Amino acid sequence: MKLKVNEENTGGEFLFFKDEPGFDRLFFTRDKFNKYFTIAWNSGENQIVTVDGTEYEFPSNSLLTLLFNQTFSFEDSSAITAWQFNREFYCIIDHDSEVSCVGFLFSSTDHMFVRLSESAQKKLQLLTEVFIEEFATSDHIQNEMLLVLLKRLIIYVTGLAKSAYMPVMKNQEERFHVVRKFNLLVEANFKSEHSVSFYAGQLFKSPKTLSNLFAIYNQKTPSQIIQERIVVEAKRLLRYTDRSVKHITFELGFEDVSYFSNFFKKNTGTSPSDFRNLQETAKP
């Protein structure tokens, strides 16, 4: 089942998938013009989800959120219930930062697998039934109703994710928001800004204070997050495009091909050229 609504005036799009074989996303090719954020619910058995070429275990009865610029596929997409929307459908309204499309759920390329309790599964099932009913109701307030339901879904899933991933520490929520904002800044600037000091300055913190804050939450260091985001993008470009290593070097903010190649090899164990060749060899 694939259901979809469009908003002609804004270009907004909202899609719903259930029991749909072959549900996937190819950002750099087929889907490059469709910038959808995705909330996926695996209501079946444990399975593998491949995101940007890397395999992850997608546990049974858990949720996964995916950014608009990620390529993904599921081992068994027929067991996935998914909601997809673009900024024009949801973010055109000035939502609270926690539940906007740059909020807690979509603030990082790290993958949050949120396990669902039995009661959470029942609530999502009820929401799913209401979504299907509203998609089938073609009237002048259909989009408005679906928008309200989508916000309700995002608020609910945000609460589940925060309960699972935020430490239970009194008066620490404001500090955690700094971590979230750092991830958002990296997502927006990683191609041109590679230093922790830049992001610390944007957050009005010292690099040391920022590093200490990440340590409190058992996060990777700020430097690791920046470097890993660059590597993820480099792998995407090498795997899914035919851009030269030189082109990718400059696109990712490096001034020297040799320096970029050494950086990539240090973080992946292989050179950019060898990585691309391995991907070509592995293609069916």
Side-chain angles (χ1 to χ4, degrees), residues 238-267:
L238 290 165
R239 179 182 285 117
Y240 300 117
T241 77
D242 59 0
R243 296 170 199 172
S244 68
V245 173
K246 183 178 181 180
H247 185 131
I248 293 170
T249 295
F250 297 136
E251 183 171 342
L252 295 179
F254 293 88
E255 296 181 358
D256 181 79
V257 175
S258 296
Y259 183 83
F260 167 69
S261 295
N262 289 334
F263 167 86
F264 188 86
K265 187 169 185 177
K266 179 181 178 182
N267 283 275

Side-chain angles (χ1 to χ4, degrees), residues 110 165-169 176 179 211-221 224-225:
D110 280 349
Y165 282 87
M166 281 185 66
V168 182
M169 298 173 66
F176 190 83
V179 175
S211 295
N212 290 339
L213 184 58
F214 273 70
I216 290 174
Y217 291 99
N218 297 316
Q219 295 277 330
K220 300 166 185 174
T221 67
Q224 285 175 323
I225 291 174

Side-chain angles (χ1 to χ4, degrees), residues 5-8 12 89 139-148:
V5 296
N6 299 289
E7 290 184 336
E8 293 184 5
F89 185 82
D139 57 27
H140 68 285
I141 62 168
Q142 180 189 40
N143 286 9
E144 184 179 344
M145 291 298 295
L146 286 170
L147 183 59
V148 170

Side-chain angles (χ1 to χ4, degrees), residues 44-168:
E45 300 298 321
N46 292 0
Q47 63 169 289
I48 298 298
V49 56
T50 303
V51 183
D52 291 326
T54 300
E55 294 185 349
Y56 303 89
E57 183 178 356
F58 194 174
S60 174
N61 289 312
S62 64
L63 292 168
L64 169 64
T65 58
L66 294 152
L67 296 175
F68 71 88
N69 55 0
Q70 292 181 305
T71 290
F72 60 80
S73 62
F74 301 97
E75 181 182 1
D76 178 17
S77 64
S78 63
I80 302 297
T81 300
W83 296 262
Q84 287 189 325
F85 57 93
N86 61 7
R87 289 180 183 275
E88 289 76 15
F89 185 82
Y90 183 73
C91 302
I92 196 168
I93 294 178
D94 185 21
H95 296 295
D96 175 82
S97 61
E98 276 301 296
V99 294
S100 73
C101 53
V102 291
F104 182 82
L105 294 179
F106 302 102
S107 62
S108 171
T109 53
D110 280 349
H111 309 297
M112 291 193 295
F113 293 94
V114 182
R115 292 183 180 271
L116 301 175
S117 65
E118 188 173 341
S119 62
Q121 294 171 45
K122 289 180 180 178
K123 185 160 186 176
L124 275 181
Q125 183 58 45
L126 287 173
L127 264 175
T128 296
E129 292 170 4
V130 176
F131 269 111
I132 293 172
E133 183 178 339
E134 287 301 328
F135 268 103
T137 306
S138 221
D139 57 27
H140 68 285
I141 62 168
Q142 180 189 40
N143 286 9
E144 184 179 344
M145 291 298 295
L146 286 170
L147 183 59
V148 170
L149 284 172
L150 177 59
K151 183 172 183 179
R152 183 178 178 185
L153 173 69
I154 291 174
I155 290 172
Y156 183 61
V157 174
T158 297
L160 294 175
K162 287 176 70 174
S163 297
Y165 282 87
M166 281 185 66
V168 182

Side-chain angles (χ1 to χ4, degrees), residues 107-110 178-187 190 193-194 196 199 210-211 213-215 218-233 263 267:
S107 62
S108 171
T109 53
D110 280 349
V178 174
V179 175
R180 180 175 64 86
K181 289 175 182 177
F182 173 85
N183 285 324
L184 292 172
L185 283 169
V186 170
E187 186 63 29
F190 72 91
E193 300 293 342
H194 299 173
V196 175
Y199 298 98
L210 198 60
S211 295
L213 184 58
F214 273 70
N218 297 316
Q219 295 277 330
K220 300 166 185 174
T221 67
S223 180
Q224 285 175 323
I225 291 174
I226 297 166
Q227 291 175 13
E228 288 183 6
R229 184 62 186 90
I230 295 169
V231 169
V232 165
E233 195 69 15
F263 167 86
N267 283 275

